[in-house]
Amino acid sequence: MAATRSAKTIRAELADARDASRTARELAERELRISVVARSRAAEALERTAARPGVEETHRERLRAQYAAADRVVAQRRAALDKAREFESAAVVVVDAFESEATSASPLAAALLQVVGSKRATTPRTVTRTVPSPRTGSTAGVRSPRPRTA
C-alpha cells in the first residue's frame, strides 16, 4: 500500500510539474509577443525619422539604441521560449513514461519510485531560485513551496 501511495503522490507531482511547465511556456510565449511588439514600435519610430529632414543625429542614435535593446530582448525571450518548450516536452515524456510503466508494475517503475522517494527525503521543502522579471529583466529570488522533482 505504501508503494501505491507513493505512486499516487509521484503521479500528482509529475502532473503538477507538467502543468507548471505548460504555464511557463504560455508565459514565455506572451512575453515574446510583447517584446516583438515593442521592437516593432521602436523600428517604426526609427523609420519615421529617416524620411524627415532636420532630425538631430543624437535623436536618431537614441532611437537606434532603443531598437537594438528591443531586438536583444526579443532574442532573449525567444531563447527562453525555446527552453520552456523543451522543458514542457520533457515533462510530458516523463509523465507519459511513468504512467505506462507504473501501471505495468515494471522494474523501471519500481526504480523510479525508489529514486523519487530517496530524493524526496533529502530535498528541503522550500527551494529558492532566480527568476527574471518580465517587465524589468532583472532577477529576483523566488521561493518555491515545493521541492523540485525530475
Side-chain angles (χ1 to χ4, degrees), residues 5-55:
R5 184 176 303 140
S6 295
K8 288 179 182 179
T9 303
I10 292 170
R11 188 174 283 121
E13 290 175 354
L14 289 173
D16 289 347
R18 182 191 56 217
D19 294 343
S21 67
R22 181 178 35 245
T23 301
R25 179 199 35 90
E26 291 168 350
L27 178 62
E29 287 173 343
R30 180 176 183 273
E31 290 175 348
L32 177 60
R33 284 192 304 271
I34 290 169
S35 64
V36 167
V37 168
R39 182 183 65 182
S40 295
R41 288 181 181 159
E44 289 170 3
L46 184 59
E47 288 174 6
R48 279 193 306 266
T49 62
R52 289 191 318 191
V55 175

Side-chain angles (χ1 to χ4, degrees), residues 65-76:
Q66 288 175 349
Y67 176 80
D71 192 48
R72 281 190 300 275
V73 170
V74 167
Q76 291 168 349

Side-chain angles (χ1 to χ4, degrees), residues 10 13 111-121 149-150:
I10 292 170
E13 290 175 354
L112 182 58
L113 286 171
Q114 185 177 6
V115 167
V116 172
S118 68
K119 292 284 186 193
R120 179 188 249 171
T149 59

